[in-house]
Amino acid sequence: SQNIKILQIPFSMKTLKLKYRKHMKSDLLYKEELCLIHHL
Amino acid sequence: REDEMTAACCPRRRVVKLTSVLTLQDEISERGHEALREMLRDHSFVGCVSPQWALAQYQTRLYLLNTTCLSEELFYQILICDFANFGILRLSEPAPLYDLAMLALDHPESGWTEEDGPKEGLAEYIVEFLKRKAEMLADYFSLEIDEEGNVTGLPLLLDNYVPQLEGLPMFVLRLATEVNWDEEKECFQSLSKECARFYAIRKQYVAEEDHEKEECESSPVSWKWTVEHILYKAFRSHLFPPTHFSEDGNILQLANLPDLYKV
């Protein structure tokens, strides 16, 4: 197990929550846009 | 399989003899398309259209490639071919499975309805369920879950590549709901598919403002740099594209010089 390569990556649950909710909003807007295009 | 180093430049420390894994490796070889592999191996990268699409030239032809689908297949093949030999991406702060599951259940993509019961109960079930799988996940996939129910480490699949962590909540939810945990081969296959889905580059996780940042194009942290220098570099050496990529539009020939001369 001493041969395992380990790298640390920055992570914050608080930041993830903020980013995730932002993406959720843009996903919904994107889907609404697609529906509108389809309707037109 | 005989390479001494993995795709993440880790020394291969274990020889895998599990029939299930060897069969999955053979399946990758069987469905591979030799001409497509040659094209990917010798292509010249032209540029990114978006985080999802890129242009590449091979001989006298210009191709449009679906980076999202190609990277998903790349990570699947790495998960199967470097099985049980991954390094670890250790999170600087533990990620509680409960919070991740709740975030995913809040997303419409989860398909959660009131008939499924309270989200809190489902999230608690997911934590307990994945904690029971922690030993196997850590041993074979370098996916670390501690006794308190936090994700602490993710597999290091490709040198210099970190997945977009916005995909972590859905990955955790799908680990509990989409993986076949009953049959060995199907388990490794479906688990690898879910992990590959999480690691593939996704347009929705590249912030809108980053799309426009031309000045950052040459910076090693920009998505364009990652696509060109990490993903397409790995496509040359590690991806054996399946035949269906030439039929489903994921690798699409746009033009070739002899025809353009005629025009």
Side-chain angles (χ1 to χ4, degrees):
Chain A
S1 63
Q2 62 266 39
N3 283 335
I4 297 178
K5 188 170 171 180
I6 301 173
L7 299 176
Q8 195 177 67
I9 54 168
F11 175 79
S12 150
M13 196 65 209
K14 197 178 159 189
T15 312
L16 178 75
K17 282 181 181 175
L18 286 171
K19 278 189 177 176
Y20 194 79
R21 297 219 161 93
K22 198 177 149 194
H23 289 308
M24 222 156 81
K25 214 182 235 180
S26 59
D27 273 0
L28 288 174
L29 286 174
Y30 176 65
K31 276 174 190 144
E32 277 173 20
E33 196 180 296
L34 280 184
C35 287
L36 183 66
I37 291 167
H38 184 71
H39 180 71
L40 289 171
Chain B
R1 284 176 215 170
E2 289 81 23
D3 288 350
E4 279 182 19
M5 302 297 271
T6 66
C9 296
C10 298
R12 204 175 284 279
R13 56 189 190 276
R14 292 194 279 191
V15 177
V16 177
K17 291 179 180 169
L18 293 168
T19 307
S20 54
V21 178
L22 297 179
T23 308
L24 289 168
Q25 290 176 353
D26 288 341
E27 284 173 6
I28 289 171
S29 301
E30 282 160 18
R31 65 189 167 88
H33 190 292
E34 202 52 59
L36 285 182
R37 169 147 77 175
E38 208 174 297
M39 185 275 271
L40 282 182
R41 194 180 54 210
D42 296 330
H43 79 271
S44 299
F45 185 81
V46 175
C48 292
V49 178
S50 71
Q52 186 174 352
W53 296 97
L55 292 167
Q57 183 191 338
Y58 173 63
Q59 293 177 344
T60 56
R61 299 184 283 273
L62 181 69
Y63 290 90
L64 181 66
L65 304 158
N66 187 335
T67 313
T68 300
C69 286
L70 265 70
S71 59
E72 190 168 332
E73 180 63 28
L74 169 79
F75 289 120
Y76 173 74
Q77 294 186 8
I78 290 173
L79 280 150
I80 298 299
C81 297
D82 291 346
F83 189 87
N85 280 285
F86 307 116
I88 299 167
L89 293 170
R90 176 87 24 89
L91 302 182
S92 59
E93 179 188 297
L97 279 171
Y98 180 85
D99 292 1
L100 293 170
M102 285 297 286
L103 273 180
L105 287 165
D106 279 340
H107 198 292
E109 196 188 313
S110 72
W112 177 87
T113 63
E114 285 182 8
E115 287 169 12
D116 297 323
K119 289 175 190 172
E120 291 78 5
L122 289 171
E124 276 167 22
Y125 173 78
I126 289 169
V127 176
E128 291 311 312
F129 182 80
L130 292 179
K131 270 168 70 178
R132 289 202 297 275
K133 309 292 180 190
E135 197 180 341
M136 185 279 272
L137 288 170
D139 190 19
Y140 289 155
F141 291 92
S142 295
L143 176 57
E144 296 181 329
I145 294 170
D146 66 15
E147 287 176 0
E148 281 77 45
N150 301 302
V151 177
T152 56
L154 297 169
L156 171 60
L157 300 183
L158 184 62
D159 200 25
N160 282 317
Y161 186 84
V162 176
Q164 296 156 298
L165 294 172
E166 291 92 329
L168 189 56
M170 205 52 78
F171 172 57
V172 162
L173 177 65
R174 291 180 66 92
L175 267 186
T177 58
E178 303 298 321
V179 171
N180 178 344
W181 291 96
D182 301 324
E183 308 290 332
E184 184 179 296
K185 183 187 157 213
E186 285 72 18
C187 175
F188 294 153
Q189 184 179 39
S190 51
L191 222 159
S192 300
K193 282 195 186 295
E194 289 310 322
C195 195
R197 188 185 159 104
F198 166 39
Y199 274 62
I201 187 155
R202 300 215 168 262
K203 188 183 164 199
Q204 68 260 41
Y205 296 143
V206 176
E208 279 296 322
E209 55 269 27
D210 293 342
H211 283 236
E212 312 303 328
K213 277 184 191 165
E214 293 300 324
E215 70 276 11
C216 295
E217 204 172 331
S218 57
S219 152
V221 289
S222 79
W223 64 268
K224 281 184 184 172
W225 192 91
T226 303
V227 167
E228 180 176 354
H229 299 284
I230 308 291
L231 292 177
Y232 276 78
K233 188 182 162 203
F235 294 166
R236 288 178 205 280
S237 49
H238 289 92
L239 181 59
F240 194 4
T243 304
H244 67 80
F245 275 0
S246 64
E247 295 151 2
D248 55 16
N250 285 318
I251 297 181
L252 187 69
Q253 185 185 311
L254 292 184
N256 69 77
L257 271 182
D259 287 350
L260 287 175
Y261 288 146
K262 286 176 199 164
V263 174

